[in-house]
Amino acid sequence: MRITVFRRLMADEFGPGRAEVLAKDHVFSALGGRTVEQALAAGIPAKEIWREVCVAFDVPAERR
């Protein structure tokens, strides 16, 4: 998954403003105690990050 696709999915699911805040501030234990931005910078694939975001925020399966 491209990072641009990942960011579009985040914005579609949470709204552009909340998606940006979530990516910078929310720490995910499943991503090694990193935020989305830190996980991307560490080279974790966007698809893996999206899966963890979906699990953490109970995104319905049809939107995953």
Side-chain angles (χ1 to χ4, degrees):
M1 171 186 297
R2 291 177 176 239
I3 293 174
T4 54
V5 172
F6 169 78
R7 293 200 187 279
R8 181 176 39 85
L9 289 169
M10 289 282 290
D12 289 350
E13 186 63 34
F14 302 106
R18 183 167 182 229
E20 186 177 331
V21 169
L22 199 156
K24 291 180 181 177
D25 294 339
H26 188 86
V27 175
F28 294 84
S29 60
L31 296 175
R34 296 179 179 99
T35 66
V36 165
E37 296 298 339
Q38 291 168 335
L40 288 169
I44 297 173
K47 187 172 186 175
E48 183 179 331
I49 297 168
W50 177 243
R51 276 194 299 259
E52 296 305 332
V53 169
C54 290
V55 169
F57 288 94
D58 295 321
V59 175
E62 64 270 8
R63 293 197 309 261
R64 289 183 181 202

